[in-house]
């Protein structure tokens, strides 16, 4: 009996030692991938820099566990997508591995101010920044209007250069270039209520605009600028950029990204010729395209004044819809620029770095069963079929629009060069009358996209109306009738995958952990606090 007891005790001790060894090896794997030594990692843990607690990893609202059907078509419950779970290890080991990912565990919030980041010159109200948004025409067809029909739900004032005019609520003012000339070329509408531009339609119908509306005559066309507090602007950006069903932590991450991007664009001065900081389209951030959302407003309020900072500057926090399982760096736009806070890696706990520049390795990656934070998204995989006639029309129309010679009937389509992140960088089109080389991911997506042709997503649904190919992460195969493009992801692939943020939130991660996963070498800075 004593011998049996001794054997059992020895076995138990062996299991404990083995468990500790496996746990430390999981940590060491993360340290190796993060590029730090064991000593550096242990020192960071002692200093508290590498600690990932349940408090900062798990969302406090509980809304991240919900998974309603979204506008982008994702449905069904989200499953855990950690790399350890994919390998069949236990849930406890997977959690240990995730907790050991100290290099992206969470972000602490540090104090700052608008003046710290060159924003002191911008107008502020109650310690908060105000932003000026250039409002485009219906369907975002242009930046300037031929005429604007304005009203408000409360009494409002029109301020001109010589006199002010008071209007009753509901009065419709037809602003034309001739009308503006009567008031020196510019008028400003202000009041306590919201304004409505009755001839400007968005997906939500006719949205309400808080703040002031400024109309200026630009050589016979009208520029419309909506000035309002930055936080109120973000309340109308977040629901336009991310469905509220993604949960509070994902929405908080989106709010911080949108605020950071807004501040960086204010400093960039892209729209100064129109007296604006940003426009209301995807050229900046989509604003007021969806109805105001209480949940999105809560996410904005919960992160009020917080921005991402790197190297003493507010970062241009790029984001996009869905990855192909691998995030890109800024090489998708240019090989002459660098960006320290975004890097190419897999969207798994390990953030594995791969070389997908070779055609075979990219195909194998796309064809394999990839685990990713956003692998449940309908856009994670897609196909687009193009017949010879359709491809010929697409190619020659695009080339003609670029003042280039058409190639005749298309006979061959080849991805000649890929970036390390897998994006198609050079596409060669051969036709009966010549050959054309198309360079750059945006040009390739523009060439192969078509609003009249459908793209089939991985859930079997067909999506049309896309003027751009969903992404540049695709490969080409010849078919009996033409070509099939096999691709993954939606968008440029740089920065935060919104569907990836959704997946992380539904797996219990806080917004600070989500942000630290997608952005490197950044900190959270509190530019200003909520108004008392």
């Amino acid at each position: 009996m004593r011998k049996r007891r001794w054997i059992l005790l020895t076995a138990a001790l062996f299991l404990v030692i083995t468990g500790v060894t496996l746990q430390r090896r999981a940590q060491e794997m993360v340290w190796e991938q993060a590029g730090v030594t064991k000593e550096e990692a242990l020192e960071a843990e002692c200093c508290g820099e590498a600690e990932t607690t349940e408090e900062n990893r798990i969302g406090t609202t509980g809304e991240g566990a919900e998974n309603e059907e979204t506008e982008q078509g994702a449905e069904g419950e989200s499953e855990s997508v950690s790399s350890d779970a994919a390998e069949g290890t236990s849930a406890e080991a997977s959690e240990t591995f995730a907790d050991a990912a100290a290099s992206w565990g969470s972000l602490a919030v540090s104090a700052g101010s608008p003046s710290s980041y060159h924003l002191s010159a911008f107008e502020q109200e109650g310690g908060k920044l105000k932003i000026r948004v250039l409002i485009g025409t219906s369907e975002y067809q242009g930046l300037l209007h031929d005429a604007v029909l304005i009203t408000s739900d409360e009494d409002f004032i029109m301020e001109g250069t010589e006199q002010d005019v008071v209007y009753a609520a509901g009065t419709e003012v037809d602003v034309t270039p001739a009308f503006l000339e009567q008031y020196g070329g510019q008028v400003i509408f202000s009041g306590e209520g919201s304004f409505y531009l009755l001839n400007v339609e968005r997906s939500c119908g006719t949205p309400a605009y808080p703040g002031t509306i400024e109309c200026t005559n630009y050589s016979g066309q009208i520029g419309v600028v909506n000035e309002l507090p930055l936080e109120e602007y973000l309340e109308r950006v977040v629901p336009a950029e991310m469905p509220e069903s993604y949960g509070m932590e994902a929405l908080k991450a989106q709010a911080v990204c949108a605020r950071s991007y807004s501040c960086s664009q204010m400093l960039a001065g892209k729209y100064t010729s129109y007296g604006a900081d940003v426009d209301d389209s995807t050229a900046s951030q989509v604003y007021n395209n969806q109805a105001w959302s209480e949940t999105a407003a809560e996410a904005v309020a919960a992160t009020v004044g917080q921005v991402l900072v790197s190297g003493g500057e507010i970062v241009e926090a790029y984001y996009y819809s869905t990855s192909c399982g691998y995030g890109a760096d800024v090489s998708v736009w240019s090989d002459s620029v660098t960006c320290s806070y975004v890097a190419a890696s897999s969207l798994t706990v390990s953030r594995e770095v791969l070389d997908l520049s070779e055609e075979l390795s990219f195909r194998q990656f796309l064809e394999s069963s990839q685990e990713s934070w956003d692998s449940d998204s309908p856009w994670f995989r897609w196909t687009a079929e193009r017949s010879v006639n359709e491809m010929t029309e697409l190619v020659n129309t695009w080339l003609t629009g670029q003042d280039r010679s058409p190639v005749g009937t298309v006979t061959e389509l080849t991805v000649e060069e890929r970036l390390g992140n897998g994006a198609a960088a050079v596409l060669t089109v051969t036709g009966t009358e010549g050959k054309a080389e198309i360079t750059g991911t945006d040009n390739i997506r523009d060439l192969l996209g078509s609003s009249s042709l459908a793209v089939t997503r991985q859930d079997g649904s067909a999506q049309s109306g896309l003027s751009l190919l969903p992404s540049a992460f695709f490969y080409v195969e010849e078919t009996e009738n033409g070509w099939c493009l096999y691709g993954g992801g939606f968008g440029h692939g740089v920065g935060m995958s919104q569907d990836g943020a959704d997946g992380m939130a539904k797996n219990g991660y806080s917004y600070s952990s989500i942000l630290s996963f997608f952005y490197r070498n950044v900190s959270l800075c509190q530019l200003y606090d909520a108004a008392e």
Side-chain angles (χ1 to χ4, degrees):
M1 178 66 70
R2 289 182 179 179
K3 183 176 181 181
R4 174 186 173 87
R5 187 177 302 164
W6 181 84
I7 292 173
L8 290 173
L9 288 172
T10 303
L13 180 61
F14 174 78
L15 289 174
V16 170
I17 295 173
T18 301
V20 172
T21 302
L22 289 174
Q23 180 177 353
R24 176 54 68 186
R25 179 53 191 152
Q27 291 177 321
E28 290 173 350
M29 288 170 63
V30 175
W31 298 334
E32 292 169 2
Q33 290 157 353
V36 298
T37 65
K38 173 180 176 181
E39 290 73 20
E40 290 171 334
L42 291 175
E43 181 181 358
E45 289 180 349
C46 293
C47 297
E49 297 171 359
E51 184 178 6
T52 305
T53 66
E54 287 299 298
E55 182 178 358
N56 63 35
R57 192 179 71 84
I58 303 299
T60 57
T61 65
E63 298 179 29
E66 298 176 2
N67 191 16
E68 304 167 1
E69 183 173 354
T70 71
E71 296 170 343
Q72 297 181 7
E75 58 185 0
E77 289 191 4
S78 174
E79 299 179 357
S80 173
V81 289
S82 74
S83 58
D84 272 355
E87 294 173 10
T89 58
S90 67
E92 292 80 3
S94 179
E95 184 176 355
T96 298
F97 188 85
D99 288 342
S103 62
W104 57 271
S106 63
L107 293 173
V109 181
S110 58
S113 68
S115 59
S116 303
Y117 300 97
H118 321 298
L119 290 167
S120 57
F122 291 84
E123 187 174 351
Q124 299 182 46
E125 186 177 274
K128 296 182 182 179
L129 292 172
K130 298 182 78 172
I131 190 167
R132 293 172 59 83
V133 188
L134 183 64
I135 307 300
T137 61
S138 292
E139 299 182 1
Y140 306 104
Q141 294 298 304
L143 296 176
L144 299 178
H145 306 251
D146 294 327
V148 183
L149 191 61
I150 297 177
T151 189
S152 177
D153 53 15
E154 294 193 23
D155 294 350
F156 60 104
I157 299 172
M158 184 184 73
E159 305 171 17
T161 55
E162 297 181 358
Q163 59 180 328
D164 295 345
V165 181
V166 179
Y167 294 101
T171 303
E172 298 179 3
V173 183
D174 189 9
V175 179
T176 64
F179 177 90
L180 289 175
E181 286 308 302
Q182 300 176 43
Y183 298 94
Q186 183 182 80
V187 296
I188 299 175
F189 295 92
S190 61
E192 296 299 319
S194 297
F195 289 96
Y196 299 84
L197 309 181
L198 300 179
N199 57 342
V200 175
E201 291 293 317
R202 295 290 183 256
S203 293
C204 60
T206 302
Y209 293 91
T212 64
I213 298 291
E214 181 180 295
C215 298
T216 305
N217 185 9
Y218 289 96
S219 302
Q221 287 190 299
I222 302 169
V224 179
V225 173
N226 179 205
E227 182 179 84
L228 72 164
L230 177 58
E231 298 301 312
E232 292 188 42
Y233 163 76
L234 293 172
E235 288 180 5
R236 290 155 178 82
V237 167
V238 172
E241 291 285 1
M242 177 179 282
E244 67 176 31
S245 62
Y246 280 22
M248 186 56 67
E249 295 307 305
L251 289 167
K252 286 179 186 177
Q254 179 65 60
V256 173
C257 289
R259 188 180 295 106
S260 304
Y261 190 86
S262 299
C263 289
S264 69
Q265 291 300 291
M266 290 167 70
L267 294 168
K270 179 179 178 180
Y271 294 96
T272 52
S273 59
Y274 297 105
D277 302 313
V278 294
D279 79 349
D280 65 341
S281 76
T282 55
S284 296
Q285 294 180 119
V286 180
Y287 164 64
N288 240 349
N289 194 43
Q290 299 294 333
W292 183 88
S293 158
E294 183 176 353
T295 304
E298 289 177 7
V300 172
T303 63
V304 62
Q306 293 181 12
V307 295
L308 290 172
V309 173
S310 179
E313 301 291 341
I314 299 173
V315 307
E316 197 169 4
Y318 307 111
Y319 54 88
Y320 60 100
S321 171
T322 316
S323 81
C324 67
Y326 198 78
D329 50 25
V330 293
S331 65
V332 297
W333 296 315
S334 173
D335 57 4
S336 62
V337 297
T338 58
C339 183
S340 63
Y341 51 85
V342 290
S345 70
S346 65
L347 267 67
T348 58
V349 170
S350 63
R351 296 200 301 194
E352 184 180 6
V353 177
L354 304 172
D355 181 3
L356 301 178
S357 59
E358 296 297 325
E359 188 69 16
L360 180 59
S361 61
F362 177 75
R363 287 190 181 213
Q364 289 175 339
F365 176 85
L366 218 61
E367 291 170 356
S368 62
S369 178
Q370 294 298 323
E371 292 294 340
S372 173
W373 294 123
D374 49 9
S375 58
D376 287 336
S377 168
W379 284 114
F380 188 68
R381 292 290 180 267
W382 50 263
T383 58
E385 294 190 12
R386 303 286 186 260
S387 68
V388 172
N389 290 339
E390 289 167 343
M391 187 65 74
T392 297
E393 182 178 356
L394 288 176
V395 169
N396 290 325
T397 299
W398 190 88
L399 290 172
T400 302
Q402 299 290 318
D403 293 326
R404 297 175 62 178
S405 300
V407 296
T409 301
V410 176
T411 58
E412 187 177 348
L413 195 69
T414 307
V415 176
E416 295 287 355
E417 183 180 331
R418 292 191 182 279
L419 301 174
N421 52 56
V426 179
L427 181 74
T428 298
V429 182
T430 304
T432 56
E433 299 177 12
K435 179 183 291 189
E437 186 178 86
I438 295 87
T439 61
T441 59
D442 289 344
N443 286 333
I444 293 172
R445 292 178 64 194
D446 191 27
L447 170 78
L448 298 176
S450 172
S451 58
S452 63
L453 298 175
V455 175
T456 302
R457 305 187 295 182
Q458 72 172 0
D459 63 355
S461 62
Q463 187 83 13
S464 58
L466 303 174
S467 58
L468 293 177
L469 200 66
S471 79
F473 302 92
F474 70 93
Y475 65 86
V476 182
E477 279 195 358
E478 190 172 352
T479 66
E480 184 178 347
N481 299 317
W483 296 268
C484 186
L485 313 178
Y486 294 88
F490 191 103
H492 49 65
V494 182
M496 184 181 75
S497 160
Q498 293 167 309
D499 283 338
D502 175 38
M504 292 187 72
K506 286 177 171 57
N507 276 275
Y509 288 93
S510 69
Y511 81 100
S512 64
S513 291
I514 293 171
L515 292 170
S516 62
F517 177 86
F518 286 106
Y519 302 97
R520 318 294 174 91
N521 309 312
V522 297
S523 60
L524 267 173
C525 180
Q526 190 79 49
L527 284 185
Y528 48 80
D529 296 320
E532 298 180 358

